[in-house]
């Protein structure tokens, strides 16, 4: 059975968080790239797999384009 845990931070980037968590847990995170997910960090242990990935910033909204007037 798969067990998922989700945590978030607004203080660190994904790169910084991978270094901090890696140092605390004694893990090595490798940078991975995905066309779908973008850049994320992965560490495999004997019993688990830990991923750190950035989330889009909800405060940074896209500007709506105004429709062209004829």
């Amino acid at each position: 059975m798969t067990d998922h845990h989700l945590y978030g931070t607004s203080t660190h980037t994904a790169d910084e968080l991978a270094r901090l968590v890696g140092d605390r847990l004694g893990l090595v995170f490798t940078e991975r790239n995905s066309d779908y997910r973008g850049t994320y960090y992965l560490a495999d242990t004997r019993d688990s797999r830990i991923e750190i990935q950035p989330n889009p910033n909800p405060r940074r909204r896209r500007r709506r384009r105004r429709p062209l007037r004829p």
Side-chain angles (χ1 to χ4, degrees):
M1 181 175 172
T2 303
D3 190 18
H4 294 275
H5 298 268
L6 177 64
Y7 302 95
T9 179
S10 60
T11 359
H12 302 290
T13 65
D15 182 52
E16 293 169 338
L17 191 59
R19 283 192 304 253
L20 288 169
V21 172
D23 289 346
R24 302 294 190 289
L25 299 178
L27 300 173
V28 176
F29 283 87
T30 56
E31 185 177 309
R32 309 292 286 264
N33 290 303
S34 163
D35 289 336
Y36 178 71
R37 294 169 57 188
T39 301
Y40 66 100
Y41 299 86
L42 177 66
D44 285 314
T45 68
R46 188 177 57 135
D47 300 326
S48 62
R49 174 183 178 141
I50 301 173
E51 297 179 17
I52 296 177
Q53 65 183 22
N55 287 329
N57 186 347
R59 294 182 187 152
R60 195 184 302 168
R61 294 186 179 162
R62 293 182 183 174
R63 290 183 0 184
R64 289 186 179 179
R65 292 185 181 176
R66 294 182 182 176
L68 296 175
R69 295 185 181 177

